[in-house]
Amino acid sequence: MYTPIGPAASQPRGMASLLHWKAYFVVVFVALGVLFTASSIHTGQSATSVSVALPVANMQTLPSLASSSSSIAPVSSEVDPTLAQKVGQMLQVDISTVLYGKNRNPRFALNKARVAYYAKLGIGSYFNSPFAGGPSRHESWTADEWHDVIDQIQAIYAQHNAVPAIYGIDTIHGANYVRDAVLFPQPLAAASSFNLDVAYRMGEVSAKDSLAAGLPWIFSPVLGLAMQPKWARNYETFGEDPHTVSAFGVALIQGLQANNRTAACMKHFIGYSNPTSGNDRADSVISDFELVNYYAPSFL
């Protein structure tokens, strides 16, 4: 028996139908849209007031959107969050969506009207680096510059009585998106030391540098196995041995969370690291035996 992952077009004959990950994402986003619409109908407001279909290209429309009445009621410690607030907390947007074009100067890059719009929708979190899309005229942000931008976002959320947003970012071998942060060898190199203290200290220092930048949610460690030599991201893993990956994953997570102020987020998905084609974010076809004995243990 096999546990296939991916579109049916890539399955070998005689195997069960393959599932396409993109279909899951479509279903999730459609469901979220339905929840937003249902909430607006319940409160007697128009569905468009809580729509997540933001007109990204038309920047002129943003001031009017930001000034429109909010369908997200202020959160009170005495009442439960509304349905719209709960859905908003499940949504995450890329930081690039609240920056002006390719401007990465932290003093001028933030589109405050866009942030206000997201605050009114109750968007719960932001992620990624403003430099993830390629080179920029401005250098990567220092911890102080990161903190300044995130403080501006939180201040705007407070103005609209929104639940404070949380920021998450990839921190694979140190706080690699924070200028002047300590960088370590890639996880694959760290695992070759077979020294769990190395992983723990990596986590401690990475968390300290990330938190200094106002980034408390850390997308690390990668707990996939390096079983596909054609996959371009093997260096992000702790190797191909399930026990080694599990042990180093535990050590790194303990280091990342030792300060009790940062949260680790293990990734990506069980079986994600073995795409049949070798391409990233592609289909994986693995047996039930491999799933249970190789790919699952590091996530359990």
Side-chain angles (χ1 to χ4, degrees):
M1 294 295 294
Y2 281 78
T3 302
I5 304 174
S10 63
Q11 71 175 31
R13 290 185 179 180
M15 293 176 57
S17 298
L18 298 179
L19 302 176
H20 201 300
W21 285 112
K22 291 182 180 179
Y24 282 118
F25 286 115
V26 170
V27 171
V28 169
F29 281 110
V30 170
L32 292 176
V34 171
L35 288 174
F36 265 119
T37 303
S39 176
S40 64
I41 293 174
H42 176 72
T43 57
Q45 297 173 333
S46 64
T48 55
S49 64
V50 290
S51 172
V52 295
L54 182 64
V56 176
N58 190 355
M59 304 297 288
Q60 287 76 17
T61 64
L62 288 175
S64 60
L65 289 172
S67 60
S68 62
S69 60
S70 172
S71 63
I72 309 297
V75 174
S76 169
S77 59
E78 300 178 356
V79 297
D80 291 332
T82 66
L83 176 61
Q85 288 170 335
K86 292 177 181 178
V87 173
Q89 287 296 295
M90 296 172 63
L91 299 179
Q92 184 176 74
V93 296
D94 193 297
I95 184 64
S96 64
T97 65
V98 294
L99 300 179
Y100 283 115
K102 295 184 178 180
N103 189 341
R104 295 299 181 263
N105 186 322
R107 296 177 57 191
F108 310 107
L110 191 65
N111 185 334
K112 296 182 180 181
R114 180 73 60 84
V115 175
Y117 180 75
Y118 283 162
K120 290 183 178 184
L121 289 179
I123 300 298
S125 63
Y126 292 79
F127 82 110
N128 216 348
S129 162
F131 303 94
S136 169
R137 293 182 179 180
H138 194 278
E139 296 183 58
S140 58
W141 291 347
T142 64
D144 288 340
E145 289 172 334
W146 268 107
H147 228 301
D148 181 58
V149 172
I150 294 174
D151 284 349
Q152 292 181 58
I153 292 175
Q154 300 292 23
I156 294 171
Y157 267 59
Q159 291 172 7
H160 296 281
N161 295 316
V163 177
I166 185 171
Y167 204 109
I169 197 166
D170 290 318
T171 303
I172 303 300
H173 61 115
N176 42 282
Y177 286 125
V178 180
R179 197 197 320 168
D180 299 328
V182 177
L183 295 184
F184 295 90
Q186 294 287 353
L188 189 61
S192 68
S193 71
F194 293 97
N195 186 338
L196 297 179
D197 289 337
V198 169
Y200 183 88
R201 287 291 293 147
M202 283 176 59
E204 273 192 321
V205 176
S206 299
K208 180 180 178 181
D209 287 347
S210 296
L211 195 61
L215 306 168
W217 191 11
I218 297 173
F219 297 159
S220 182
V222 173
L223 296 182
L225 304 185
M227 299 285 282
Q228 169 55 277
K230 294 184 291 184
W231 190 47
R233 301 179 66 177
N234 282 322
Y235 62 89
E236 295 183 10
T237 75
F238 290 118
E240 63 181 354
D241 176 62
H243 176 74
T244 301
V245 174
S246 299
F248 270 83
V250 169
L252 184 61
I253 290 173
Q254 289 177 340
L256 288 170
Q257 300 185 156
N259 59 28
N260 291 323
R261 298 177 63 192
T262 49
C265 180
M266 58 188 185
K267 60 180 189 178
H268 294 86
F269 305 100
I270 296 175
Y272 175 91
S273 60
N274 187 23
T276 304
S277 65
N279 296 323
D280 191 33
R281 305 175 189 178
D283 307 333
S284 297
V285 179
I286 56 180
S287 69
D288 288 346
F289 180 87
E290 292 172 323
L291 177 69
V292 172
N293 292 281
Y294 287 94
Y295 295 99
S298 56
F299 286 88
L300 301 179

